[in-house]
């Protein structure tokens, strides 16, 4: 069993394993799990052409080995033969894409998303599509037309959302790394619940071309892996300006991420860590999370970093501002799913109005409907000035004040979420309580900065993972990933929660 990209690549180069074997084992695990009494439900479909792509990769490797050009081949295609998990809202050409919604039943992606295209050019193989909350709207992957994804550590618990399928697949060793998407914490949250590393990048660093939109000014592709290096290398291959996405941006030092190194002792001792006082309130936080946070804070201090508390009162408004903006943009983006252009169509011949109502009523799930209704309410003429514009004003202030923090500090430290994973069904009928799962994550999306979840401990009663996040200034991905590597070096294997 191989747990990291580097050890898998070495095994492929040495002939210890084949890409076909890696894919076949993943498919066999998926099929076995799908017939289990309580399936994990991480993957909802394995791509039929994955084995063919793996066979082609094996031939490339064999030919290069015979020609003595194996090292050169892997320099050109560093992820050759390595399969990865894809979220069900990222286009992979020729494969179904449904966003876990009935309204896109039967839809087949006509092209690759840029992130998929760049990974495939590096030799990586899309293994299959993973479950998610419908249209990425949720924090537990319970709002899916395919049923919930369960937590691989304990299947009575949620995997987190909305990228819960990708996180569970990586945590259960069904994939070496996975792609997810974030609007308000949907990569870091499931990473925390499942006990793996998860990175939300600076807005624009990873192209959104080919990713189904939820909240366009907040959405960003993220990466899930067992180690910081397993995130850094795919990021180095996917990042950069994309002609198809006007919001895309280059990542300084992005191409150097493939050879990730931890911070030196001198670099670490020069670090200044900020802890927002607003996140020290423990009213809604689990005691285990508070203890884990204190332990992480002590780790920084023990290694010589300076840790200080800072006051950011505007963070108290982050959840409200986030949901006002996200739901408004969601209502606008989802208006395209009308039963006419693509996807589900329920037409009883009674006119367009009836077609819209029937299709959207039967195609969308309850959480998506709730967010569309709220979003349209916020955008209505009598409220848009008072609510949406105020939300945008708060967002601008959050961006300014967080940027000001990074003029003095290197990293913001806080928990990833107030609790560890909760039991399936315990919050699904209480949307307000579910929304508060994003208490510590949404400010990152509003400020458009990067943040990485690091597995930091377990709860005492249920032994469920707890995550902490290291957030950096815009385009500081390399710094926070190097810092995460320091954490990994001091806690080896912590991001591999389920070992075969």
């Amino acid at each position: 069993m191989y747990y990291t990209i580097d050890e898998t690549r070495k095994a492929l180069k040495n002939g210890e394993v084949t890409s076909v074997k890696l894919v076949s084992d993943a498919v066999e695990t998926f099929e076995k799990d799908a017939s289990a009494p309580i399936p994990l439900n991480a993957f909802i479909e394995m791509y039929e052409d994955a084995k063919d792509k793996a066979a082609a990769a094996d031939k490339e490797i064999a030919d290069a080995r015979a020609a003595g050009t194996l090292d050169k081949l892997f320099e050109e295609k560093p992820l050759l033969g390595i399969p990865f998990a894809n979220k069900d809202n990222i286009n992979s050409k020729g494969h179904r894409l449904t966003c876990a919604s009935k309204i896109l039943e039967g839809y087949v992606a006509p092209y690759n998303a840029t992130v998929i295209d760049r990974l495939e050019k590096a030799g990586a193989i899309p293994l299959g599509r993973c479950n998610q909350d419908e249209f990425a709207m949720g924090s537990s992957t319970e709002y899916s037309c395919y049923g919930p994804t369960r937590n691989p550590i304990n299947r009575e618990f949620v995997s987190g959302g909305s990228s819960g399928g990708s996180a569970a697949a990586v945590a259960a060793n069904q994939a070496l790394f996975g792609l997810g998407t974030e609007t308000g914490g949907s990569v870091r949250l499931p990473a925390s619940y499942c006990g793996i590393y998860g990175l939300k990048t600076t807005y624009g660093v990873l192209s959104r071309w080919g990713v189904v939109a939820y909240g366009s000014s907040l959405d960003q592709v993220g990466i899930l892996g067992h180690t910081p290096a397993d995130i850094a290398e795919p990021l180095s291959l996917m990042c950069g300006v994309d002609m198809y996405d006007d919001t895309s941006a280059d990542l300084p030092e992005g191409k150097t991420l493939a050879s990730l190194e931890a911070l030196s002792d001198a670099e670490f001792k020069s670090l200044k860590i900020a802890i927002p006082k607003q996140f020290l309130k423990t009213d809604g936080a689990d005691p285990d999370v508070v203890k884990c946070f204190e332990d992480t804070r002590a780790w920084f201090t023990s290694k010589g970093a300076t840790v200080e508390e800072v006051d950011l009162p505007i963070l108290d408004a982050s959840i409200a501002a986030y949901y006002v903006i996200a739901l408004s943009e969601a209502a606008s983006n989802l208006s395209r799913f009308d039963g006419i252009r693509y996807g589900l169509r329920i037409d009883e011949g009674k006119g367009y109005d009836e077609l819209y109502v029937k299709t959207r009523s039967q195609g969308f799930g309850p959480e998506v409907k709730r967010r569309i209704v709220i979003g349209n309410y916020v955008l209505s003429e009598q409220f848009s000035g008072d609510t949406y514009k105020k939300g945008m004003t708060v967002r601008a202030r959050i961006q300014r004040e967080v940027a000001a923090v990074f003029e003095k500090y290197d990293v913001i430290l806080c928990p990833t979420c107030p609790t560890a994973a909760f039991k399936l069904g315990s919050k699904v009928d209480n949307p307000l309580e579910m929304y508060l799962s994003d208490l510590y994550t949404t400010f990152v999306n509003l400020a458009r900065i990067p943040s990485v979840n690091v597995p930091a401990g377990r709860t005492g009663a249920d032994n469920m993972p707890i995550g902490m996040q290291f957030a950096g200034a815009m385009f500081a991905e390399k710094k926070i990933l190097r810092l995460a590597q320091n954490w990994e070096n001091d806690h080896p294997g912590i991001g591999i929660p389920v070992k075969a």
Side-chain angles (χ1 to χ4, degrees), residues 249-292:
D250 280 326
L251 176 62
E253 299 184 290
K255 300 307 177 186
T256 66
L257 279 166
S259 53
L260 189 70
E261 294 181 351
L263 296 170
S264 67
D265 288 345
E267 287 176 306
F268 202 105
K269 289 176 181 176
S270 70
L271 284 179
K272 296 193 71 176
I273 311 299
I275 298 177
K277 291 180 181 178
Q278 285 64 34
F279 292 158
L280 293 174
K281 301 172 185 175
T282 58
D283 297 350
D286 187 277
D288 288 325
V289 173
V290 175
K291 181 183 182 303
C292 194

Short mmCIF file of all heavy atoms in Angstrom, two decimals, residues 249-292:
data_model
loop_
_atom_site.label_atom_id
_atom_site.label_comp_id
_atom_site.label_asym_id
_atom_site.label_seq_id
_atom_site.Cartn_x
_atom_site.Cartn_y
_atom_site.Cartn_z
N ALA A 249 -4.88 33.98 -11.76
CA ALA A 249 -3.67 34.74 -11.45
C ALA A 249 -2.48 33.80 -11.29
O ALA A 249 -2.64 32.63 -10.92
CB ALA A 249 -3.87 35.54 -10.16
N ASP A 250 -1.29 34.32 -11.56
CA ASP A 250 -0.08 33.54 -11.35
C ASP A 250 0.24 33.45 -9.86
O ASP A 250 -0.08 34.36 -9.08
CB ASP A 250 1.11 34.18 -12.08
CG ASP A 250 1.13 33.83 -13.57
OD1 ASP A 250 0.72 32.70 -13.91
OD2 ASP A 250 1.53 34.69 -14.36
N LEU A 251 0.88 32.35 -9.48
CA LEU A 251 1.31 32.16 -8.10
C LEU A 251 2.82 32.30 -8.03
O LEU A 251 3.55 31.47 -8.58
CB LEU A 251 0.89 30.77 -7.59
CG LEU A 251 1.36 30.38 -6.19
CD1 LEU A 251 0.79 31.33 -5.16
CD2 LEU A 251 0.95 28.95 -5.87
N PRO A 252 3.32 33.35 -7.40
CA PRO A 252 4.77 33.50 -7.26
C PRO A 252 5.38 32.25 -6.62
O PRO A 252 4.84 31.72 -5.64
CB PRO A 252 4.92 34.71 -6.35
CG PRO A 252 3.64 35.49 -6.53
CD PRO A 252 2.59 34.45 -6.75
N GLU A 253 6.45 31.78 -7.18
CA GLU A 253 7.15 30.58 -6.70
C GLU A 253 6.29 29.32 -6.82
O GLU A 253 6.62 28.28 -6.24
CB GLU A 253 7.59 30.74 -5.24
CG GLU A 253 8.56 31.89 -4.99
CD GLU A 253 9.04 31.94 -3.56
OE1 GLU A 253 8.21 32.28 -2.69
OE2 GLU A 253 10.22 31.64 -3.33
N GLY A 254 5.21 29.39 -7.59
CA GLY A 254 4.31 28.25 -7.71
C GLY A 254 5.00 27.02 -8.27
O GLY A 254 4.76 25.90 -7.80
N LYS A 255 5.85 27.20 -9.24
CA LYS A 255 6.51 26.07 -9.89
C LYS A 255 7.56 25.42 -9.00
O LYS A 255 8.03 24.31 -9.27
CB LYS A 255 7.14 26.51 -11.21
CG LYS A 255 6.14 27.09 -12.21
CD LYS A 255 4.97 26.16 -12.48
CE LYS A 255 3.94 26.78 -13.42
NZ LYS A 255 2.74 25.92 -13.57
N THR A 256 7.99 26.11 -7.93
CA THR A 256 8.99 25.55 -7.02
C THR A 256 8.36 24.72 -5.91
O THR A 256 9.08 24.14 -5.08
CB THR A 256 9.84 26.67 -6.38
OG1 THR A 256 9.00 27.46 -5.52
CG2 THR A 256 10.44 27.57 -7.46
N LEU A 257 7.04 24.65 -5.90
CA LEU A 257 6.35 23.92 -4.83
C LEU A 257 6.57 22.42 -4.90
O LEU A 257 6.38 21.71 -3.91
CB LEU A 257 4.85 24.21 -4.88
CG LEU A 257 4.39 25.53 -4.25
CD1 LEU A 257 2.97 25.85 -4.68
CD2 LEU A 257 4.48 25.45 -2.74
N ALA A 258 6.94 21.90 -6.07
CA ALA A 258 7.08 20.46 -6.24
C ALA A 258 8.13 19.88 -5.30
O ALA A 258 8.04 18.72 -4.90
CB ALA A 258 7.43 20.14 -7.69
N SER A 259 9.14 20.68 -4.96
CA SER A 259 10.17 20.21 -4.02
C SER A 259 10.00 20.94 -2.69
O SER A 259 10.81 21.78 -2.32
CB SER A 259 11.57 20.47 -4.59
OG SER A 259 11.71 21.83 -4.97
N LEU A 260 8.91 20.62 -2.01
CA LEU A 260 8.55 21.31 -0.78
C LEU A 260 9.51 20.97 0.36
O LEU A 260 9.77 19.80 0.63
CB LEU A 260 7.12 20.95 -0.37
CG LEU A 260 6.51 21.76 0.77
CD1 LEU A 260 6.24 23.19 0.33
CD2 LEU A 260 5.23 21.10 1.26
N GLU A 261 10.01 21.99 1.02
CA GLU A 261 10.88 21.80 2.19
C GLU A 261 10.30 22.55 3.38
O GLU A 261 9.73 23.63 3.22
CB GLU A 261 12.29 22.31 1.91
CG GLU A 261 13.03 21.51 0.84
CD GLU A 261 14.43 22.04 0.62
OE1 GLU A 261 14.75 23.12 1.16
OE2 GLU A 261 15.20 21.38 -0.10
N ALA A 262 10.48 21.99 4.56
CA ALA A 262 10.02 22.65 5.78
C ALA A 262 10.84 23.91 6.03
O ALA A 262 11.95 24.07 5.50
CB ALA A 262 10.14 21.70 6.97
N LEU A 263 10.29 24.81 6.81
CA LEU A 263 11.02 26.01 7.20
C LEU A 263 12.23 25.63 8.05
O LEU A 263 12.16 24.71 8.88
CB LEU A 263 10.12 26.94 8.01
CG LEU A 263 8.89 27.53 7.29
CD1 LEU A 263 7.98 28.23 8.31
CD2 LEU A 263 9.30 28.51 6.21
N SER A 264 13.34 26.32 7.86
CA SER A 264 14.52 26.09 8.70
C SER A 264 14.23 26.58 10.11
O SER A 264 13.26 27.32 10.35
CB SER A 264 15.73 26.83 8.13
OG SER A 264 15.53 28.24 8.23
N ASP A 265 15.08 26.19 11.06
CA ASP A 265 14.89 26.63 12.45
C ASP A 265 14.90 28.15 12.55
O ASP A 265 14.10 28.75 13.26
CB ASP A 265 15.98 26.04 13.34
CG ASP A 265 15.81 24.54 13.55
OD1 ASP A 265 14.71 24.03 13.27
OD2 ASP A 265 16.78 23.89 14.00
N ALA A 266 15.82 28.77 11.79
CA ALA A 266 15.91 30.24 11.83
C ALA A 266 14.67 30.88 11.26
O ALA A 266 14.15 31.87 11.80
CB ALA A 266 17.15 30.69 11.07
N GLU A 267 14.17 30.32 10.15
CA GLU A 267 12.95 30.86 9.54
C GLU A 267 11.77 30.69 10.48
O GLU A 267 10.92 31.59 10.61
CB GLU A 267 12.66 30.14 8.21
CG GLU A 267 13.60 30.51 7.08
CD GLU A 267 13.33 29.69 5.84
OE1 GLU A 267 13.33 28.44 5.94
OE2 GLU A 267 13.13 30.29 4.76
N PHE A 268 11.70 29.54 11.15
CA PHE A 268 10.58 29.28 12.05
C PHE A 268 10.61 30.26 13.22
O PHE A 268 9.58 30.81 13.61
CB PHE A 268 10.62 27.84 12.56
CG PHE A 268 9.30 27.35 13.05
CD1 PHE A 268 8.55 26.46 12.30
CD2 PHE A 268 8.77 27.77 14.27
CE1 PHE A 268 7.31 26.01 12.74
CE2 PHE A 268 7.54 27.33 14.71
CZ PHE A 268 6.80 26.45 13.94
N LYS A 269 11.79 30.49 13.77
CA LYS A 269 11.90 31.38 14.93
C LYS A 269 11.58 32.84 14.59
O LYS A 269 11.27 33.63 15.48
CB LYS A 269 13.30 31.27 15.53
CG LYS A 269 13.53 29.94 16.25
CD LYS A 269 14.96 29.80 16.75
CE LYS A 269 15.16 28.45 17.44
NZ LYS A 269 16.55 28.24 17.86
N SER A 270 11.65 33.17 13.31
CA SER A 270 11.32 34.53 12.90
C SER A 270 9.83 34.72 12.63
O SER A 270 9.37 35.84 12.37
CB SER A 270 12.11 34.92 11.65
OG SER A 270 11.65 34.19 10.52
N LEU A 271 9.07 33.63 12.69
CA LEU A 271 7.63 33.70 12.41
C LEU A 271 6.89 34.49 13.48
O LEU A 271 7.18 34.38 14.68
CB LEU A 271 7.03 32.29 12.35
CG LEU A 271 7.28 31.44 11.11
CD1 LEU A 271 6.61 30.08 11.29
CD2 LEU A 271 6.75 32.11 9.84
N LYS A 272 5.89 35.25 13.02
CA LYS A 272 4.98 35.93 13.94
C LYS A 272 3.57 35.41 13.65
O LYS A 272 3.07 35.54 12.53
CB LYS A 272 5.06 37.44 13.76
CG LYS A 272 6.43 38.04 14.10
CD LYS A 272 6.36 39.56 14.23
CE LYS A 272 5.61 39.98 15.47
NZ LYS A 272 5.63 41.45 15.66
N ILE A 273 2.97 34.83 14.66
CA ILE A 273 1.67 34.18 14.52
C ILE A 273 0.60 35.02 15.19
O ILE A 273 0.74 35.42 16.36
CB ILE A 273 1.69 32.78 15.16
CG1 ILE A 273 2.91 31.97 14.71
CG2 ILE A 273 0.39 32.04 14.85
CD1 ILE A 273 2.98 31.72 13.22
N ALA A 274 -0.48 35.30 14.46
CA ALA A 274 -1.61 36.07 15.00
C ALA A 274 -2.77 35.14 15.32
O ALA A 274 -3.10 34.25 14.54
CB ALA A 274 -2.05 37.13 13.99
N ILE A 275 -3.36 35.37 16.48
CA ILE A 275 -4.57 34.63 16.88
C ILE A 275 -5.67 35.65 17.12
O ILE A 275 -5.59 36.45 18.06
CB ILE A 275 -4.34 33.81 18.15
CG1 ILE A 275 -3.25 32.75 17.91
CG2 ILE A 275 -5.63 33.16 18.61
CD1 ILE A 275 -2.91 31.94 19.14
N PRO A 276 -6.70 35.69 16.27
CA PRO A 276 -7.79 36.65 16.48
C PRO A 276 -8.53 36.38 17.80
O PRO A 276 -8.92 35.25 18.08
CB PRO A 276 -8.71 36.40 15.28
CG PRO A 276 -7.84 35.76 14.24
CD PRO A 276 -6.87 34.93 15.03
N LYS A 277 -8.69 37.42 18.60
CA LYS A 277 -9.38 37.27 19.88
C LYS A 277 -10.82 36.77 19.68
O LYS A 277 -11.37 36.08 20.55
CB LYS A 277 -9.41 38.62 20.61
CG LYS A 277 -8.04 39.08 21.10
CD LYS A 277 -8.13 40.42 21.83
CE LYS A 277 -6.76 40.89 22.31
NZ LYS A 277 -6.82 42.21 22.97
N GLN A 278 -11.40 37.12 18.53
CA GLN A 278 -12.78 36.71 18.26
C GLN A 278 -12.91 35.18 18.17
O GLN A 278 -13.98 34.64 18.39
CB GLN A 278 -13.28 37.35 16.95
CG GLN A 278 -13.60 38.83 17.05
CD GLN A 278 -12.40 39.70 17.37
OE1 GLN A 278 -11.28 39.41 16.93
NE2 GLN A 278 -12.60 40.76 18.14
N PHE A 279 -11.79 34.51 17.84
CA PHE A 279 -11.82 33.06 17.74
C PHE A 279 -11.40 32.37 19.03
O PHE A 279 -11.26 31.15 19.08
CB PHE A 279 -10.93 32.59 16.59
CG PHE A 279 -11.44 32.98 15.23
CD1 PHE A 279 -10.58 33.04 14.14
CD2 PHE A 279 -12.78 33.28 15.02
CE1 PHE A 279 -11.04 33.40 12.87
CE2 PHE A 279 -13.26 33.63 13.76
CZ PHE A 279 -12.38 33.70 12.69
N LEU A 280 -11.17 33.17 20.08
CA LEU A 280 -10.85 32.59 21.38
C LEU A 280 -12.10 32.37 22.22
O LEU A 280 -12.05 31.78 23.29
CB LEU A 280 -9.88 33.51 22.14
CG LEU A 280 -8.48 33.62 21.55
CD1 LEU A 280 -7.66 34.66 22.30
CD2 LEU A 280 -7.77 32.28 21.55
N LYS A 281 -13.24 32.86 21.71
CA LYS A 281 -14.51 32.63 22.40
C LYS A 281 -14.83 31.14 22.31
O LYS A 281 -14.78 30.55 21.24
CB LYS A 281 -15.63 33.44 21.76
CG LYS A 281 -15.38 34.96 21.76
CD LYS A 281 -16.43 35.67 20.93
CE LYS A 281 -16.14 37.16 20.81
NZ LYS A 281 -17.08 37.84 19.90
N THR A 282 -15.16 30.55 23.41
CA THR A 282 -15.36 29.09 23.42
C THR A 282 -16.81 28.69 23.61
O THR A 282 -17.12 27.54 23.92
CB THR A 282 -14.51 28.46 24.56
OG1 THR A 282 -14.90 29.05 25.81
CG2 THR A 282 -13.03 28.69 24.31
N ASP A 283 -17.74 29.64 23.41
CA ASP A 283 -19.16 29.34 23.64
C ASP A 283 -19.65 28.15 22.81
O ASP A 283 -20.28 27.25 23.33
CB ASP A 283 -20.01 30.57 23.30
CG ASP A 283 -19.69 31.76 24.20
OD1 ASP A 283 -18.96 31.55 25.18
OD2 ASP A 283 -20.15 32.88 23.93
N GLY A 284 -19.32 28.17 21.50
CA GLY A 284 -19.83 27.10 20.64
C GLY A 284 -18.79 26.05 20.31
O GLY A 284 -19.06 25.14 19.53
N ALA A 285 -17.58 26.17 20.87
CA ALA A 285 -16.50 25.25 20.53
C ALA A 285 -16.48 24.05 21.48
O ALA A 285 -16.72 24.18 22.69
CB ALA A 285 -15.16 25.97 20.59
N ASP A 286 -16.19 22.89 20.93
CA ASP A 286 -16.07 21.68 21.71
C ASP A 286 -14.80 21.77 22.59
O ASP A 286 -13.77 22.25 22.14
CB ASP A 286 -15.96 20.49 20.76
CG ASP A 286 -16.01 19.17 21.47
OD1 ASP A 286 -14.94 18.74 21.97
OD2 ASP A 286 -17.08 18.57 21.52
N PRO A 287 -14.86 21.32 23.84
CA PRO A 287 -13.67 21.37 24.71
C PRO A 287 -12.45 20.67 24.11
O PRO A 287 -11.31 21.11 24.33
CB PRO A 287 -14.15 20.66 25.99
CG PRO A 287 -15.63 20.85 25.99
CD PRO A 287 -16.05 20.82 24.56
N ASP A 288 -12.66 19.59 23.37
CA ASP A 288 -11.54 18.89 22.72
C ASP A 288 -10.88 19.77 21.67
O ASP A 288 -9.67 19.73 21.49
CB ASP A 288 -12.02 17.59 22.08
CG ASP A 288 -12.35 16.52 23.11
OD1 ASP A 288 -11.66 16.47 24.15
OD2 ASP A 288 -13.29 15.75 22.89
N VAL A 289 -11.69 20.56 20.96
CA VAL A 289 -11.14 21.47 19.94
C VAL A 289 -10.33 22.57 20.62
O VAL A 289 -9.24 22.93 20.16
CB VAL A 289 -12.28 22.08 19.09
CG1 VAL A 289 -11.73 23.16 18.15
CG2 VAL A 289 -12.98 20.99 18.29
N VAL A 290 -10.86 23.09 21.74
CA VAL A 290 -10.15 24.14 22.49
C VAL A 290 -8.80 23.62 22.98
O VAL A 290 -7.77 24.29 22.86
CB VAL A 290 -11.01 24.63 23.67
CG1 VAL A 290 -10.22 25.63 24.52
CG2 VAL A 290 -12.30 25.27 23.16
N LYS A 291 -8.79 22.41 23.52
CA LYS A 291 -7.53 21.83 24.01
C LYS A 291 -6.54 21.62 22.87
O LYS A 291 -5.34 21.91 23.00
CB LYS A 291 -7.80 20.49 24.71
CG LYS A 291 -6.53 19.84 25.27
CD LYS A 291 -6.80 18.50 25.89
CE LYS A 291 -5.51 17.90 26.48
NZ LYS A 291 -4.43 17.77 25.49
N CYS A 292 -7.04 21.13 21.75
CA CYS A 292 -6.19 20.90 20.59
C CYS A 292 -5.60 22.22 20.09
O CYS A 292 -4.42 22.28 19.70
CB CYS A 292 -7.01 20.23 19.49
SG CYS A 292 -6.02 19.53 18.17
#
